[in-house]
Amino acid sequence: MKKSILTQITGFVAGVIMVTSAQFAANAQVPEFGAPSVQNPCNKVGSGSNAFYFLSMEGESFFDNSKTLVTDPPTGFVKVYNDGTNFSGGYTNAILATNTTASLQGALGTFGPLFGRFADKVTYQVVFSQPGDYYMYMRFTMFENGSNLGSYLSDLNYGGDTNGPGAASRTDYSGGANTNFWEGQFHWNQLFVSSFLSGAITNADGTPRAGNPFHYVVTPAMVGVPQDFTIAYREQGVTIDQWLFSTHTNLLNDYTQQQLDDLFVNKVAVQQPENTVVTPTNNYPFLVMETENFVAKSNRNLTAGFAAVTTVSTNVAFYGESILGTNTTASGKGALFTQSPSFGRFSDFVNYKVQFAATGDYYLYMRFTMYENGGNLAHYISEDSFILPPDFNKNPQNDWVPPGTAGADNGGYTEGFGAHGFLLILNYGGDTNGPGAASRTDYSGGANTNFWEGQFHWNQL
């Protein structure tokens, strides 16, 4: 990948957003009603000289109290979800439809005014684990705002870039005939400083700024420190699903739209043909899945329910240690953490996607740790239950009630305590009498803080 000679670009994308690198500030304080977007140390694609790092950020993950235009009904930047309740100004299409392909079923909508430069601002926070030069991409769709049905240029002034990198290889979808391409259909593109309004603006060395890619420098001193990222409103119409910071200088040149979706949106855990444990008597195919790579989350409060955590996350456990510590043995330096509330049956769901290469009967195991939640320090059985689906493509709350039983916990309830609980670790050497307590060691007691609290162990569920 060719490196840019630029050190940092400050400017704006003419249209609905103005991206201000001056707001990429160090030592930022975390605002309320949100959580920083954290780069997992293993957020890396490829190997060797062709490898690149990335940090993806949901468009709807801005902090509520950073929004400057507060109205009822809401205007400016608005968090939208797949409930089909919000509608575009031109063709009254739902934003977002229930079958949307938006990542985590949410996005950043722009709800008027039709034109209002700096009318609204929202702030995100990002935490990097890898220093480097990062370039900006977004996954987005366009909705006609009704001001000019002949084009989408009144919605987002983008696509001219005649002086920018790769202009000859771009296809212009700004015309009004492209309703089937936009109107809820999401696409990836790289962001460049606009040629529409910035043609006469130059960099410090006198070179034209227009057409240069947005470029952010993450120094070693910034690693692990929350950085503010603030965008400003200009026009109604664009709906942003994901922001992507990447050290790759031109992703669209090397990856198709579908490949980018598979990398950053769908996150399918794929079983490879070689994923087999070979023993003298048998072969055991397996599929391993990183729990932090979920593709959907039902609780829209990012500080509640399930959360993806990594070594640079700001989450702290009851006893004061970080979740996860820098020396964690967690695979990929990431994990799935259960945040508040201490008890909240069905208060959050996360979905994964898996793809098998070998047929067969599969049994479920997990590698996990326990953190005291403060409810009862005498044991770990106040924080040790969750609910699994009884089969693929099922909802664990509604899709399974075993015959002869009743109650909302029956569909895949998994308990850490009791004769078969996962806090009773199955001892090496086999369970000769079937699943039984005699061959398990009980670690559910509160005296086992050194065994748990960030220390990972395997067990069957």
Side-chain angles (χ1 to χ4, degrees), residues 92-117:
T92 64
N93 290 315
I95 307 173
L96 301 166
T98 55
N99 63 345
T100 181
T101 63
S103 171
L104 293 183
Q105 289 72 59
L108 176 72
T110 50
F111 280 38
L114 292 179
F115 180 82
R117 192 175 60 166

Side-chain angles (χ1 to χ4, degrees), residues 180-200:
N180 291 333
F181 185 82
W182 302 117
E183 300 294 324
Q185 307 301 313
F186 286 92
H187 308 277
W188 288 97
N189 214 346
Q190 187 170 6
L191 292 181
F192 298 87
V193 177
S194 172
S195 302
F196 181 68
L197 293 178
S198 308

Side-chain angles (χ1 to χ4, degrees), residues 26-335:
N27 301 310
Q29 297 300 311
V30 178
E32 60 182 322
F33 307 127
S37 297
V38 178
Q39 182 184 34
N40 192 309
C42 69
N43 283 0
K44 178 183 177 182
V45 176
S47 60
S49 60
N50 291 324
F52 66 89
Y53 293 90
F54 66 90
L55 186 156
S56 62
M57 181 168 66
E58 296 295 323
E60 70 275 15
S61 65
F62 66 83
F63 293 104
D64 288 358
N65 67 347
S66 70
K67 179 175 164 58
T68 57
L69 187 60
V70 180
T71 58
D72 187 16
T75 52
F77 293 118
V78 178
K79 297 179 181 181
V80 292
Y81 298 96
N82 63 330
D83 50 19
T85 58
N86 299 301
F87 295 90
S88 64
Y91 297 116
T92 64
N93 290 315
I95 307 173
L96 301 166
T98 55
N99 63 345
T100 181
T101 63
S103 171
L104 293 183
Q105 289 72 59
L108 176 72
T110 50
F111 280 38
L114 292 179
F115 180 82
R117 192 175 60 166
F118 301 112
D120 198 12
K121 296 177 184 177
V122 292
T123 296
Y124 304 83
Q125 284 197 334
V126 290
V127 182
F128 288 87
S129 65
Q130 179 71 27
D133 295 345
Y134 286 82
Y135 297 83
M136 174 60 77
Y137 303 82
M138 71 176 181
R139 186 176 190 260
F140 71 108
T141 188
M142 297 292 300
F143 288 99
E144 176 57 61
N145 64 20
S147 63
N148 185 342
L149 302 186
S151 70
Y152 283 90
L153 294 179
S154 296
D155 312 83
L156 177 69
N157 295 321
Y158 183 80
D161 200 22
T162 54
N163 299 316
S169 63
R170 291 173 174 259
T171 301
D172 186 358
Y173 292 101
S174 64
N178 291 291
T179 55
N180 291 333
F181 185 82
W182 302 117
E183 300 294 324
Q185 307 301 313
F186 286 92
H187 308 277
W188 288 97
N189 214 346
Q190 187 170 6
L191 292 181
F192 298 87
V193 177
S194 172
S195 302
F196 181 68
L197 293 178
S198 308
I201 301 176
T202 60
N203 298 304
D205 61 1
T207 58
R209 180 170 297 174
N212 284 326
F214 278 87
H215 174 203
Y216 301 92
V217 177
V218 176
T219 66
M222 295 166 64
V223 169
V225 179
Q227 312 293 325
D228 280 355
F229 179 78
T230 297
I231 66 172
Y233 188 95
R234 190 171 188 269
E235 291 180 89
Q236 180 183 0
V238 69
T239 297
I240 299 166
D241 179 31
Q242 274 193 12
W243 303 103
L244 182 73
F245 296 91
S246 174
T247 58
H248 195 303
T249 59
N250 190 350
L251 279 173
L252 277 298
N253 186 64
D254 293 347
Y255 293 85
T256 67
Q257 294 283 325
Q258 185 60 56
Q259 287 171 332
L260 292 174
D261 279 353
D262 289 342
L263 282 171
F264 306 119
V265 180
N266 300 325
K267 303 176 184 177
V268 180
V270 178
Q271 181 185 35
Q272 302 300 322
E274 65 270 19
N275 289 162
T276 300
V277 175
V278 179
T279 73
T281 58
N282 212 334
N283 294 338
Y284 297 96
F286 66 87
L287 187 155
V288 63
M289 180 172 65
E290 292 291 336
T291 54
E292 65 271 20
N293 287 338
F294 52 84
V295 298
K297 172 179 161 69
S298 68
N299 193 323
R300 295 167 183 170
N301 181 352
L302 298 182
T303 63
F306 295 110
V309 292
T310 184
T311 55
V312 290
S313 299
T314 56
N315 306 79
V316 177
F318 175 80
Y319 288 122
E321 72 270 33
S322 296
I323 303 173
L324 303 163
T326 55
N327 62 343
T328 183
T329 63
S331 172
K333 305 296 183 182

